[in-house]
Amino acid sequence: SYYALWRDARQSVDACHWSHEYLKKEVAKDPSQYVVRDPHLFESFRHLKRSGRKLFLLTNSFWEYTNVVMNYLWGNPPGVLTDEWQEVFDVVIAGSCKPGFFVNNRLQLYRVQDPETLPTLTHVEGLQDLSPKELLGGGKIFQGGNWENLHKMLSIKSGSEILYVGDHMYSDVIRSKRDLGWRTMMVIPELLHEIDRMESPLAQREYTDIKQLYHQRASQEDQINELSVKLLDMQDREINEEEGASQDDYSEALEMVREQLTETKDELRDKIKRYHELFHPVWGQLFKTGLQNSIFAQHVEKYACLYTSHASNFRFFSPNCNFRCMADVLPHDGLRTVREDIRQQS
């Protein structure tokens, strides 16, 4: 059954995440086999750092694995671990237990002692009495904790001062946005493929045909509505003929348009299916279900202030750049465009 498929897949994925001793040890042996390195990542970090921004790393992975992966992303070969990558971050928090990090202010904070030699964890005592400078004076690498600890380290007064970049909708974006009011940026690597497919000549031709069929369907539905109302009106007034057409004429016209609508719907359904197969033969377009936004797209729109394919795309913008949202449009707003088209045609 579909439930059994979902259950087995879910249990397998959960088992992979639970079995840190096996899964992450295998990845750590040679991260290049599993992790796609972005050569512009640290360039982008330095770009932000030079502007005076504070940067923090927040991950659910424990420190040992985090250190290996970050060294690989820095450019070190497998097995070579240095602390050079840490220079761009003001705070590093591993083992954060997201999304609990965002909602449970009772989670305890630990400092990672001797992170480059023999890492050990020591509980951070007296957090309430420590200033940010004192808290970071003993080292900037931590494990566990909660959002209140991070706000204190960075001297944050309001969640909107933070732009949090993550690639997981539930663990990263929704909780931080909804519960803390953080600004959020969703990293969606598949976005490049989506845009590439959308811009292909074949996809553009298919989409043009879909739009034409979509408008054709709407026109036929309007005709059916008008004919149905006219026929019911004649029947209510017990008039057999009006404006040179009888009830039978209207019934025949209504049946003909209904048949045309059925053909249009079938053709439109086939066109949409072929269009989605251009993106993926099984799943189709990531951001759409048919012609409507997918649940994923709705979550991106609602919870991600920004979204992009790579975090390193920051390097293309000034750190002082203001990003503005697009104007919201309701169905009746389209009447303005229709009226403008009518005026131009007249």
Side-chain angles (χ1 to χ4, degrees):
S1 67
Y2 286 113
Y3 171 75
L5 287 172
W6 172 84
R7 181 195 60 208
D8 293 344
R10 176 62 187 267
Q11 289 177 349
S12 298
V13 171
D14 286 345
C16 287
H17 283 83
W18 292 332
S19 58
H20 296 288
E21 293 300 317
Y22 177 76
L23 177 67
K24 293 192 173 180
K25 276 188 177 180
E26 287 299 309
V27 175
K29 289 178 182 177
D30 187 2
S32 64
Q33 296 296 316
Y34 306 95
V35 181
V36 179
R37 180 177 177 272
D38 184 343
H40 304 292
L41 184 62
F42 278 88
E43 173 191 341
S44 303
F45 290 160
R46 285 189 287 267
H47 177 62
L48 293 171
K49 190 75 172 177
R50 284 193 295 267
S51 70
R53 268 67 177 178
K54 295 180 180 179
L55 273 66
F56 66 91
L57 175 64
L58 182 66
T59 174
N60 280 357
S61 297
F62 293 139
W63 166 250
E64 292 80 3
Y65 179 76
T66 299
N67 192 30
V68 170
V69 173
M70 293 305 293
N71 268 278
Y72 164 68
L73 296 177
W74 173 261
N76 288 337
V80 177
L81 303 180
T82 67
D83 61 359
E84 294 175 291
W85 66 269
Q86 301 169 24
E87 66 186 22
V88 299
F89 294 105
D90 295 273
V91 176
V92 176
I93 299 181
S96 62
C97 197
K98 296 177 293 182
F101 184 91
F102 302 124
V103 296
N104 186 353
N105 61 2
R106 295 181 180 275
L107 294 176
Q108 299 298 302
L109 181 68
Y110 298 86
R111 191 186 307 278
V112 180
Q113 303 284 8
D114 301 320
E116 304 306 323
T117 54
L118 187 62
T120 56
L121 300 180
T122 58
H123 183 249
V124 180
E125 304 286 353
L127 269 172
Q128 300 297 328
D129 301 323
L130 295 176
S131 67
K133 185 176 181 179
E134 291 171 333
L135 182 54
L136 295 173
K140 62 182 179 180
I141 300 173
F142 300 89
Q143 192 155 293
N146 59 74
W147 64 272
E148 287 186 349
N149 306 147
L150 180 61
H151 279 207
K152 185 168 189 175
M153 294 174 196
L154 300 178
S155 300
I156 296 296
K157 296 180 180 179
S158 171
S160 61
E161 297 178 46
I162 291 179
L163 174 61
Y164 182 57
V165 183
D167 63 357
H168 195 286
M169 179 60 70
Y170 296 100
S171 294
D172 291 323
V173 175
I174 291 181
R175 284 296 191 179
S176 61
K177 172 79 171 185
R178 188 175 63 189
D179 296 330
L180 302 179
W182 288 8
R183 302 295 188 182
T184 55
M185 187 171 88
M186 180 80 178
V187 176
I188 309 172
E190 297 87 353
L191 185 60
L192 281 179
H193 172 74
E194 292 273 309
I195 294 174
D196 179 65
R197 291 289 83 201
M198 287 172 59
E199 293 181 341
S200 69
L202 178 57
Q204 291 184 14
R205 287 196 300 270
E206 291 284 355
Y207 192 68
T208 298
D209 292 343
I210 287 172
K211 287 195 297 183
Q212 291 175 347
L213 288 168
Y214 184 82
H215 291 304
Q216 180 176 305
R217 182 184 66 179
S219 175
Q220 290 167 344
E221 288 172 340
D222 287 342
Q223 291 179 53
I224 289 173
N225 180 60
E226 293 173 4
L227 290 169
S228 299
V229 170
K230 182 65 177 179
L231 185 57
L232 287 172
D233 179 62
M234 291 176 66
Q235 291 171 348
D236 288 342
R237 291 186 291 130
E238 298 181 352
I239 297 175
N240 186 54
E241 186 172 334
E242 189 173 59
E243 298 177 357
S246 65
Q247 289 190 25
D248 290 341
D249 293 333
Y250 280 108
S251 295
E252 290 177 6
L254 184 59
E255 185 61 31
M256 181 182 68
V257 178
R258 282 173 174 164
E259 291 176 358
Q260 292 172 348
L261 177 61
T262 298
E263 293 174 0
T264 300
K265 285 182 175 179
D266 290 341
E267 188 177 357
L268 180 59
R269 188 182 302 109
D270 292 340
K271 279 284 184 181
I272 292 174
K273 183 175 183 294
R274 288 200 297 272
Y275 179 73
H276 274 270
E277 288 173 346
L278 295 176
F279 294 83
H280 190 280
V282 177
W283 308 116
Q285 197 174 2
L286 177 64
F287 291 87
K288 295 291 181 181
T289 299
L291 296 177
Q292 306 299 313
N293 283 348
S294 64
I295 294 295
F296 176 76
Q298 292 174 19
H299 283 161
V300 170
E301 187 175 35
K302 184 175 183 179
Y303 295 108
C305 301
L306 301 170
Y307 66 97
T308 186
S309 61
H310 293 81
S312 60
N313 287 338
F314 271 126
R315 72 188 190 279
F316 297 119
F317 297 90
S318 164
N320 297 317
C321 175
N322 288 319
F323 294 92
R324 305 293 182 188
C325 62
M326 298 175 65
D328 292 331
V329 179
L330 288 170
H332 74 275
D333 293 323
L335 294 174
R336 184 186 303 112
T337 303
V338 172
R339 288 173 181 145
E340 289 174 355
D341 291 343
I342 293 174
R343 282 198 297 269
Q344 290 175 0
Q345 291 173 4
S346 60

